[in-house]
Amino acid sequence: MGSLKGKDILHGNQFSRQEIDAIIRNAAFFEKELKTKDSLTLLRGKILATLFFEPSTRTRLSFETAMQRLGGGVVSMASAESSSAAKGESVADTARTVSQYADVIVIRHPRMGSAQEAADAAPVPVINAGDGAGQHPTQALLDIYTIRKELGSLKDLTVAMVGDLKNGRTVHALVELLSLFEAQLYFVSPDALRMPEEITSHLRQKGIEIVETEDLMKAASESDLLYMTRIQKERFPELSEYERVKGSYVINGEFLNRLKKKMTILHPLPRVDEISPEVDTYPGAAYFRQVRNGVYVRMVLLAMVLGKR
Ligand code: CP
């Protein structure tokens, strides 16, 4: 425990099984505490800075909620356009500057590698809240907490990841964590949106069994969990390329009827059309419970990097 004190959180591959176990245990503790208390005092006097150079609802608000539930304060850029980044200030200089005000920085930026640049420049812990099509490790950790809660175990699962596996930073981070638990993985995507080769080859070198397919029904029927993702319009250089693949995979009532088995469905959200609203009342549809779990997991991460857990 305490091994994350002073550390940056940048990539899904940085965690050990022991650290994940500690994160799950502590998230369960905070979840229980918040059933009877509105807020705690663990991080009283500490300040979180949130620097979001890309849109966000869940990640930003859940980090800010987490800090406030722990008794700390939050400073935040209103938008990238209203910060000095609009005048040409670098990510490194922004992070160096903000570290004069805050004890921990959470950053989201459209460029892969930008969180690492911020971490290299700032003397305080930096948490990657998404760097382009790179990584989103805190989403992966809350996904793991959700899977553990919904399915009861993380061992020997078969997981189907569906959608934009090329650009999806949440799946890039989540496969790193699932590989620690010997998961079998189905990668379901149109050919143009396949999981990057360096990720699949790295997983196979670790002994992870991977099946790449375009057949969602086959993958779903052989899996314990469906992890749906949005086709990420903003990452396509040409709109016509997006138009060609959008709507490739849709989970709806008819799909669930044909599937004929109980299925847990996660999605990092936001969704566009890949899960129909009629699925929301399906007992295995866990994506809004997943959202809530983000607060508990981010409380743990803030407490850990600040040496309070
Ligand atoms: N899952 C996720 O990263 O959501 P936001 O883009 O709303 O933060």
Side-chain angles (χ1 to χ4, degrees):
M1 282 272 267
S3 63
L4 292 181
K5 181 179 178 182
K7 288 199 179 159
D8 305 306
I9 296 177
L10 299 174
H11 200 289
N13 71 5
Q14 75 181 78
F15 297 98
S16 64
R17 278 273 298 260
Q18 211 182 9
E19 284 166 340
I20 292 171
D21 288 345
I23 290 165
I24 290 173
R25 210 171 37 248
N26 280 290
F29 170 79
F30 284 135
E31 181 170 359
K32 195 159 167 244
E33 285 289 281
L34 289 185
K35 285 192 196 313
T36 54
K37 301 181 181 100
D38 288 333
S39 63
L40 312 175
T41 56
L42 195 63
L43 296 186
R44 188 159 56 195
K46 298 293 183 189
I47 294 197
L48 162 68
T50 53
L51 309 180
F52 278 69
F53 297 89
E54 256 194 355
S56 169
T57 296
R58 279 146 290 271
T59 311
R60 179 179 186 150
L61 294 184
S62 64
F63 263 116
E64 295 183 357
T65 303
M67 192 55 163
Q68 295 193 35
R69 294 279 189 211
L70 286 168
V74 177
V75 293
S76 193
M77 275 175 11
S79 67
E81 294 72 33
S82 67
S83 79
S84 286
K87 302 176 203 161
E89 187 164 46
S90 67
V91 167
D93 279 359
T94 303
R96 235 178 248 123
T97 300
V98 172
S99 68
Q100 309 303 312
Y101 315 136
D103 302 288
V104 53
I105 295 172
V106 173
I107 182 167
R108 170 173 290 186
H109 194 281
R111 189 164 43 76
M112 215 186 289
S114 50
Q116 180 71 60
E117 283 172 25
D120 291 343
V124 301
V126 169
I127 300 177
N128 181 4
D131 59 330
Q135 285 279 311
H136 194 348
T138 70
Q139 176 70 46
L141 289 164
L142 79 87
D143 294 341
I144 284 287
Y145 182 60
T146 305
I147 295 168
R148 176 72 180 71
K149 277 177 69 182
E150 295 288 328
L151 293 168
S153 169
L154 292 165
K155 278 294 287 176
D156 299 323
L157 295 176
T158 302
V159 178
M161 298 185 160
V162 185
D164 189 348
L165 306 186
K166 178 183 175 191
N167 298 304
R169 56 197 176 198
T170 65
V171 285
H172 298 171
L174 182 56
V175 292
E176 296 288 348
L177 301 190
L178 287 171
S179 73
L180 295 175
F181 298 90
E182 291 99 38
Q184 293 178 46
L185 302 174
Y186 277 93
F187 291 160
V188 185
S189 71
D191 191 52
L193 299 179
R194 284 171 68 174
M195 185 68 87
E197 207 279 325
E198 65 265 25
I199 296 180
T200 51
S201 60
H202 154 73
L203 291 169
R204 285 191 170 116
Q205 274 165 17
K206 288 171 85 176
I208 301 302
E209 205 179 303
I210 295 169
V211 177
E212 292 187 90
T213 177
E214 296 188 26
D215 187 342
L216 173 58
M217 183 53 78
K218 178 174 162 38
S221 63
E222 292 172 10
S223 297
D224 305 298
L225 173 77
L226 269 183
Y227 191 93
M228 297 298 294
T229 66
R230 176 177 64 91
I231 309 262
Q232 305 211 354
K233 187 177 180 181
E234 67 275 24
R235 309 263 180 246
F236 284 74
E238 298 292 336
L239 187 62
S240 58
E241 288 177 36
Y242 169 73
E243 295 288 341
R244 207 154 40 79
V245 290
K246 76 169 188 190
S248 294
Y249 299 105
V250 176
I251 302 289
N252 54 22
E254 192 223 323
F255 177 89
L256 292 174
N257 286 338
R258 280 200 292 133
L259 187 60
K260 292 197 189 91
K261 65 179 260 199
K262 184 181 176 301
M263 177 62 74
T264 298
I265 304 169
L266 299 187
H267 191 312
L269 303 178
R271 67 175 153 187
V272 182
D273 55 7
E274 59 278 3
I275 301 180
S276 299
E278 70 200 26
V279 176
D280 296 355
T281 52
Y282 175 70
Y287 30 92
F288 288 108
R289 296 192 287 276
Q290 187 182 358
V291 167
R292 187 169 186 85
N293 291 333
V295 174
Y296 312 128
V297 169
R298 289 174 172 132
M299 287 171 78
V300 176
L301 297 175
L302 292 171
M304 279 183 147
V305 299
L306 291 171
K308 297 288 186 181
R309 209 73 198 164

